[in-house]
Amino acid sequence: MKKIITPNKENWEGLTARPGINKAELTATVQVILDEVKQNGNRALLDYAARFDQVKLTSLEVTPEEIEGAKAAVSDELKAAIQLAKGNIEKFHQAQFSSEEKIETTKGVNCWRKSVGIQKVGLYIPGGSAPLFSTILMLGVPAKLAGCEEIVLCTPPDKLGKINDAILYTANLVGIKNIFKVGGAQAIGAMAFGTETIPATYKIFGPGNQYVTKAKELIQQDGVAIDMPAGPSELLIVADKTCVPSYVAADLLSQAEHGADSQVILLSDDEITIDAILSALEIQLALLPRKDIAQGAIDNSKAILLNSMEDCMEFSNLYAPEHLIIASENANQYINSVINAGSVFLGNYSCESAGDYASGTNHTLPTNGYARNYSGVSLESFQRKITFQQLTAEGIQNIGPAIELMAAEEQLFAHKNAVTLRLNDLKNV
Amino acid sequence: MKKIITPNKENWEGLTARPGINKAELTATVQVILDEVKQNGNRALLDYAARFDQVKLTSLEVTPEEIEGAKAAVSDELKAAIQLAKGNIEKFHQAQFSSEEKIETTKGVNCWRKSVGIQKVGLYIPGGSAPLFSTILMLGVPAKLAGCEEIVLCTPPDKLGKINDAILYTANLVGIKNIFKVGGAQAIGAMAFGTETIPATYKIFGPGNQYVTKAKELIQQDGVAIDMPAGPSELLIVADKTCVPSYVAADLLSQAEHGADSQVILLSDDEITIDAILSALEIQLALLPRKDIAQGAIDNSKAILLNSMEDCMEFSNLYAPEHLIIASENANQYINSVINAGSVFLGNYSCESAGDYASGTNHTLPTNGYARNYSGVSLESFQRKITFQQLTAEGIQNIGPAIELMAAEEQLFAHKNAVTLRLNDLKNV
């Protein structure tokens, strides 16, 4: 980690910069894949499975037998762990149902909102070495709670045409019926346009590599929504003297093992604390199975000494981290200083892993500075809020004259007339 | 209006299709403007004002004197109307503050969300013949309620370098301090990248012509969020025998006068009702000042007879209208049938004009079928919801073992280690 001692504020902006990602050359490649899926449907998907996943699939759909096999294969301990996590995620997202009342804004003018689930949603779950079944919980649980009628899940098969058991077990536990063996940009195309077997969806969620990310960006131009723009995962820790240095080091490494492009930043108002954390980090790093990956991320990351905890929080807000750990026994006193962050972990026992898996909060969060203008995935991500209004005769009489004046000023005379007609009729009653 | 009698369901999809918009050739033009603003800041804005707005500006900023002049120029009646509308919009959006509690998902694991205003937002208000001061209320009121620290408003000047009085009055009433004389794609660029005088913002809201819309689409690639994708405004009315045909006709025309590309659809289960509405429409149309514009939209629109009100609601959900009027004395019995719509107007006195101006609901709504996957603008559009979590020693002991198992299965051993370290320490306490 690069140690930086009390940089001047005019240099902070530069220190918060993310590495630029050049995605321009990807566009053409991914657009070809999307067009191919749009035109040739399943045939394109089977061709890409052969080419990219090195597997000759006979069917794209996961069968009930495969689900049963996965249920038998997953250990009871892991099942219990997944069920515990699911329970907590359900509790936290269930509480996000808003019960908004009718508002009578003026006598006779009633307005309200109603949350309605998005009818068709697509979930993408990456495959590869690490089977991210936890992401199925994070996306599938709120989709189910929101009442999405059709939930489609795509995930790439391995070279034997199989899907990881934990993924199938979790998808089935959540209640997802439509599971397809499709990965990469082609999976995003399939869930955007639909094929003979895969239903088209209105909004697509989930992480993925640069091809998946680019495909999600592109299909928005076809009217399909996505969860949020993506970038490499990141963690910023603000630590003071009351932190436990070995915990902070472990948390930094848990972020770093995601990949060499992971962003890790440590801020403190105390240099001795920084040094203690960096020492603990060296020791722990050497013992990690994925130490090469983590080392890459750590090499690119920064430990910054600042003048005060207030400065640390100010820097954090400028950086707008996906994950923010406030490693301090006094973490609660900084809650109101948090302006830009995706998810915040308070105190020495709230490690990022808790939120990644099992505390109940969602782990699909805005990266790359997007915490300034986006929220993480929540129940609302799977809903729309439809406004309703109902005016009585008295209601239109109360606000009608104001509408007439405003519409006339905006030169929208038919808008005015729609009110005038009603008011005139009511005068004659 | 084209009258269509009980089309087969297999033809419904075709009937809900919006006219295709070819925006490809626009991209290059708009990208040049954005690049120019990014590079040359104010100088580019002044050049474009000269070129596109035919005005030589000495300053981009609206002065306090101009605000005072506008306050004096707007009539007391219009001021009162705008204030009434503002009051209702405030009431409705104020009620959208959610008071979420801390959820203890497992003993010792506390999770919650906190809504925080987006620090910097940009509002675009079109100029031209119709000064849309109502849109300032719809965007400025929730921005203020959300606590956005910096609200920037751009709107094009006329050929004398002036901004419409009602726009300045309304912006000042709402409490917007940063008002700039910039229009078109260049305004979007200015609010995205910032210039010497115009602050860069994190999210940009507001309607506009095809250049503005394209610019909003493009600046997302620079990390700036936008309110929602845009398309021509649209209204679908479901009317039964209990409607008032002249009101339905007036409402259809109020949508049609927005422009020849406006989408207007009438559905009914009763042909006599359709004919009565079409007759009333002919009479009213002839009297409108903007009759040529409205005629164009009406020529492209459809009146469709269906077999039942249930079919009407099903068709409406397939179309997913921006505005849906249920013109029936029994409108309330169809509330639960609404799945895809932006804003719904119930009964014979709830005209679209009410929601456009003064009832309190927002008039910035998803068009072009986006009501399937997007909500209209609300208080939440100006906020992010940040999740917080705090685990006690007991909390990490309760969920830690599940996290260890899941992390190991996903082969994220540093994630596991962050928990193991803490659990081991607690064993030794």
Side-chain angles (χ1 to χ4, degrees), chain A residues 77-78 81 84-85 88 91-92 95-96 100 103 105-106 109 111-114 116 118-119 129-134 137 202 217 221 223-225 246-247 250-251 253-254 257-258 284 288-290 332 335-336 339-346 348-351 353-359 361 370-375 378 380 384-393 396 398-399 402-403 405-407 409-415 417-419 421-422 425-426, chain B residues 77-78 81 84-85 88 91-92 95-96 100 103 105-106 109 111-114 116 118-119 129-134 137 202 217 221 223-225 246-247 250-251 253-254 257-258 284 288-290 332 335-336 338-346 348-351 353-359 361 370-375 378 380 384-393 396 399 402-403 405-407 409-415 417-419 421-422 425-426:
Chain A
E77 292 73 26
L78 183 59
L84 179 145
N88 284 349
K91 269 185 220 162
F92 187 61
Q96 292 167 9
E100 280 176 37
I103 306 296
T105 55
T106 292
V109 180
C111 304
W112 67 99
R113 296 196 300 174
K114 194 179 159 211
V116 180
I118 296 175
Q119 284 182 291
S129 57
L132 298 183
F133 57 88
S134 60
L137 295 176
Y202 300 153
E217 192 185 315
Q221 283 163 34
V224 182
S246 63
Y247 298 176
D251 293 338
L253 286 171
S254 75
E257 78 173 335
H258 275 303
Q284 293 178 25
L288 281 183
R290 289 188 171 210
N332 286 34
I335 290 175
N336 288 331
I339 300 172
N340 297 321
S343 197
V344 186
F345 301 77
L346 299 166
N348 292 324
Y349 292 117
S350 307
C351 50
S353 301
D356 285 345
Y357 289 106
S359 64
T361 60
Y370 286 116
R372 290 183 200 103
N373 39 19
Y374 289 87
S375 306
S378 67
E380 292 103 315
R384 289 126 325 123
K385 296 201 173 172
I386 302 175
T387 48
F388 286 80
Q389 63 201 282
Q390 189 155 37
L391 281 74
T392 61
I396 191 70
N398 281 335
I399 69 170
I403 300 170
L405 268 166
M406 292 173 76
E409 184 73 18
E410 289 192 356
Q411 297 171 44
L412 293 171
F413 297 102
H415 282 65
N417 195 48
V419 173
L421 264 182
R422 287 165 165 98
D425 278 5
L426 288 167
Chain B
E77 293 73 26
L78 183 59
L84 178 147
N88 284 349
K91 269 186 219 161
F92 187 62
Q96 293 167 9
E100 280 175 36
I103 307 294
T105 55
T106 292
V109 180
C111 305
W112 68 98
R113 297 197 298 174
K114 192 177 161 214
V116 180
I118 296 174
Q119 284 182 290
S129 57
L132 298 183
F133 57 89
S134 60
L137 296 176
Y202 300 153
E217 192 185 314
Q221 285 163 34
V224 182
S246 63
Y247 297 175
D251 292 339
L253 287 170
S254 75
E257 78 174 333
H258 275 303
Q284 293 179 26
L288 282 182
R290 288 188 172 211
N332 286 35
I335 290 175
N336 288 331
V338 177
I339 299 172
N340 298 321
S343 197
V344 185
F345 301 76
L346 300 166
N348 292 324
Y349 292 117
S350 306
C351 50
S353 302
D356 285 343
Y357 289 106
S359 64
T361 60
Y370 286 116
R372 291 184 199 103
N373 38 21
Y374 289 87
S375 306
S378 68
E380 292 104 312
R384 290 128 322 124
K385 295 201 174 174
I386 303 176
T387 49
F388 286 80
Q389 62 200 283
Q390 188 155 37
L391 281 75
T392 62
I396 191 71
I399 69 170
I403 299 170
L405 269 167
M406 292 174 76
E409 184 73 18
E410 289 193 356
Q411 298 173 43
L412 294 172
F413 297 101
H415 281 66
N417 194 48
V419 174
L421 266 181
R422 287 167 166 97
D425 278 7
L426 288 167

Side-chain angles (χ1 to χ4, degrees), chain B residues 57-201:
Chain B
L57 292 175
T58 48
S59 160
L60 294 167
E61 236 174 327
V62 169
T63 63
E65 292 71 36
E66 288 175 288
I67 301 281
E68 289 309 313
K71 279 157 77 175
V74 172
S75 73
D76 287 345
E77 293 73 26
L78 183 59
K79 280 179 187 163
I82 292 172
Q83 286 167 17
L84 178 147
K86 175 171 177 272
N88 284 349
I89 295 164
E90 272 172 351
K91 269 186 219 161
F92 187 62
H93 289 77
Q94 176 78 40
Q96 293 167 9
F97 275 104
S98 56
S99 55
E100 280 175 36
E101 287 157 33
K102 272 190 196 176
I103 307 294
E104 191 169 36
T105 55
T106 292
K107 187 113 180 57
V109 180
N110 280 291
C111 305
W112 68 98
R113 297 197 298 174
K114 192 177 161 214
S115 294
V116 180
I118 296 174
Q119 284 182 290
K120 302 172 188 193
V121 297
L123 315 184
Y124 184 75
I125 304 295
S129 57
L132 298 183
F133 57 89
S134 60
T135 302
I136 301 177
L137 296 176
M138 296 296 174
L139 301 177
V141 166
K144 272 283 166 188
L145 284 174
C148 298
E149 294 167 21
E150 190 147 53
I151 305 173
V152 177
L153 190 153
C154 284
T155 190
D158 65 17
K159 289 181 189 174
L160 300 171
K162 302 233 168 294
I163 307 287
N164 173 279
D165 289 324
I167 285 186
L168 289 185
Y169 170 76
T170 308
N172 182 67
L173 180 71
V174 167
I176 298 171
K177 308 265 178 254
N178 298 305
I179 310 172
F180 300 97
K181 298 174 182 176
V182 191
Q186 59 273 26
I188 304 304
M191 295 191 283
F193 312 128
T195 72
E196 300 90 322
T197 42
I198 301 179
T201 62

Side-chain angles (χ1 to χ4, degrees), chain A residues 282-302:
Chain A
E282 288 306 316
I283 297 166
Q284 293 178 25
L285 179 58
L287 302 171
L288 281 183
R290 289 188 171 210
K291 68 179 161 210
D292 292 345
I293 291 173
Q295 183 72 59
I298 290 295
D299 287 346
N300 291 324
S301 64
K302 306 178 187 86

Side-chain angles (χ1 to χ4, degrees), chain A residues 166-399:
Chain A
I167 285 185
L168 289 186
Y169 169 76
T170 308
N172 181 67
L173 181 71
V174 168
I176 298 171
K177 309 266 178 253
N178 298 305
I179 310 172
F180 299 98
K181 299 175 182 175
V182 191
Q186 60 272 28
I188 305 303
M191 293 191 284
F193 312 128
T195 72
E196 300 90 321
T197 43
I198 301 178
T201 61
Y202 300 153
K203 189 169 182 179
I204 296 177
F205 297 76
N209 62 20
Q210 55 181 346
Y211 296 94
V212 169
T213 300
K214 191 64 179 178
K216 283 173 66 185
E217 192 185 315
L218 291 174
I219 50 100
Q220 291 183 83
Q221 283 163 34
D222 291 275
V224 182
I226 64 169
D227 44 4
M228 71 187 79
S233 191
E234 48 192 39
L235 167 65
L236 185 148
I237 301 186
V238 174
D240 70 9
K241 278 180 194 145
T242 65
C243 79
V244 182
S246 63
Y247 298 176
V248 175
D251 293 338
L252 290 169
L253 286 171
S254 75
Q255 184 60 46
E257 78 173 335
H258 275 303
D261 60 354
S262 266
Q263 298 291 303
V264 180
I265 294 198
L266 169 64
L267 305 179
S268 182
D269 61 345
D270 181 55
E271 191 168 2
I272 296 169
T273 300
I274 289 182
D275 291 338
I277 292 166
L278 295 184
S279 301
L281 190 142
E282 288 306 316
I283 297 166
Q284 293 178 25
L285 179 58
L287 302 171
L288 281 183
R290 289 188 171 210
K291 68 179 161 210
D292 292 345
I293 291 173
Q295 183 72 59
I298 290 295
D299 287 346
N300 291 324
S301 64
K302 306 178 187 86
I304 306 175
L305 177 69
L306 295 171
N307 286 321
S308 63
M309 282 293 277
E310 289 63 39
D311 272 10
C312 291
M313 294 309 298
E314 191 182 334
F315 187 104
S316 175
N317 285 324
L318 195 66
Y319 183 80
E322 179 190 12
H323 305 96
L324 166 62
I325 297 179
I326 304 181
S328 163
E329 287 174 6
N330 312 310
N332 286 34
Q333 73 188 65
Y334 303 106
I335 290 175
N336 288 331
S337 308
V338 178
I339 300 172
N340 297 321
S343 197
V344 186
F345 301 77
L346 299 166
N348 292 324
Y349 292 117
S350 307
C351 50
E352 191 200 308
S353 301
D356 285 345
Y357 289 106
S359 64
T361 60
N362 210 290
H363 77 195
T364 309
L365 295 163
T367 59
N368 205 35
Y370 286 116
R372 290 183 200 103
N373 39 19
Y374 289 87
S375 306
V377 163
S378 67
L379 181 70
E380 292 103 315
S381 308
F382 295 89
Q383 298 176 319
R384 289 126 325 123
K385 296 201 173 172
I386 302 175
T387 48
F388 286 80
Q389 63 201 282
Q390 189 155 37
L391 281 74
T392 61
E394 189 186 354
I396 191 70
Q397 283 174 316
N398 281 335
I399 69 170

Side-chain angles (χ1 to χ4, degrees), chain B residues 278-330:
Chain B
L278 296 184
S279 300
L281 192 143
E282 288 306 315
I283 296 166
Q284 293 179 26
L285 180 57
L287 302 172
L288 282 182
R290 288 188 172 211
K291 68 180 162 208
D292 293 344
I293 292 173
Q295 182 73 58
I298 289 296
D299 287 346
N300 291 325
S301 64
K302 304 178 187 87
I304 306 176
L305 176 70
L306 294 171
N307 286 319
S308 64
M309 283 292 277
E310 290 63 38
D311 272 10
C312 291
M313 295 308 299
E314 192 182 333
F315 186 103
S316 174
N317 285 323
L318 195 66
Y319 183 81
E322 180 190 12
H323 306 95
L324 166 62
I325 297 179
I326 305 181
S328 162
E329 287 174 5
N330 312 310

Side-chain angles (χ1 to χ4, degrees), chain A residues 9-243:
Chain A
K9 279 202 184 176
E10 53 266 36
N11 298 327
W12 285 15
E13 187 100 33
L15 290 169
T16 66
R18 271 70 166 184
I21 311 160
N22 186 353
K23 290 188 263 177
E25 75 272 22
L26 264 182
T27 307
T29 313
V30 172
Q31 192 63 59
V32 167
I33 296 174
L34 293 176
D35 293 346
E36 193 64 26
V37 172
K38 200 180 207 171
Q39 278 197 341
N40 299 318
N42 285 353
R43 189 155 57 79
L45 298 179
L46 294 170
D47 284 354
Y48 284 123
R51 205 180 331 161
F52 298 145
D53 305 315
Q54 281 96 47
V55 57
K56 209 169 156 55
L57 293 175
T58 48
S59 160
L60 295 167
E61 237 172 325
V62 169
T63 63
E65 293 70 36
E66 288 176 288
I67 301 280
E68 288 309 313
K71 279 157 76 174
V74 173
S75 74
D76 288 345
E77 292 73 26
L78 183 59
K79 279 180 187 163
I82 293 172
Q83 285 165 19
L84 179 145
K86 176 172 177 271
N88 284 349
I89 296 164
E90 272 172 351
K91 269 185 220 162
F92 187 61
H93 289 77
Q94 176 77 42
Q96 292 167 9
F97 275 104
S98 57
S99 55
E100 280 176 37
E101 287 158 32
K102 273 189 196 175
I103 306 296
E104 192 170 35
T105 55
T106 292
K107 188 113 182 54
V109 180
N110 280 290
C111 304
W112 67 99
R113 296 196 300 174
K114 194 179 159 211
S115 293
V116 180
I118 296 175
Q119 284 182 291
K120 304 173 187 193
V121 297
L123 314 184
Y124 184 75
I125 305 296
S129 57
L132 298 183
F133 57 88
S134 60
T135 302
I136 301 177
L137 295 176
M138 296 296 174
L139 301 177
V141 166
K144 273 282 165 189
L145 284 174
C148 299
E149 294 167 19
E150 190 148 53
I151 305 174
V152 176
L153 189 153
C154 284
T155 190
D158 66 17
K159 288 181 190 174
L160 300 171
K162 302 232 167 294
I163 307 287
N164 173 279
D165 289 324
I167 285 185
L168 289 186
Y169 169 76
T170 308
N172 181 67
L173 181 71
V174 168
I176 298 171
K177 309 266 178 253
N178 298 305
I179 310 172
F180 299 98
K181 299 175 182 175
V182 191
Q186 60 272 28
I188 305 303
M191 293 191 284
F193 312 128
T195 72
E196 300 90 321
T197 43
I198 301 178
T201 61
Y202 300 153
K203 189 169 182 179
I204 296 177
F205 297 76
N209 62 20
Q210 55 181 346
Y211 296 94
V212 169
T213 300
K214 191 64 179 178
K216 283 173 66 185
E217 192 185 315
L218 291 174
I219 50 100
Q220 291 183 83
Q221 283 163 34
D222 291 275
V224 182
I226 64 169
D227 44 4
M228 71 187 79
S233 191
E234 48 192 39
L235 167 65
L236 185 148
I237 301 186
V238 174
D240 70 9
K241 278 180 194 145
T242 65
C243 79

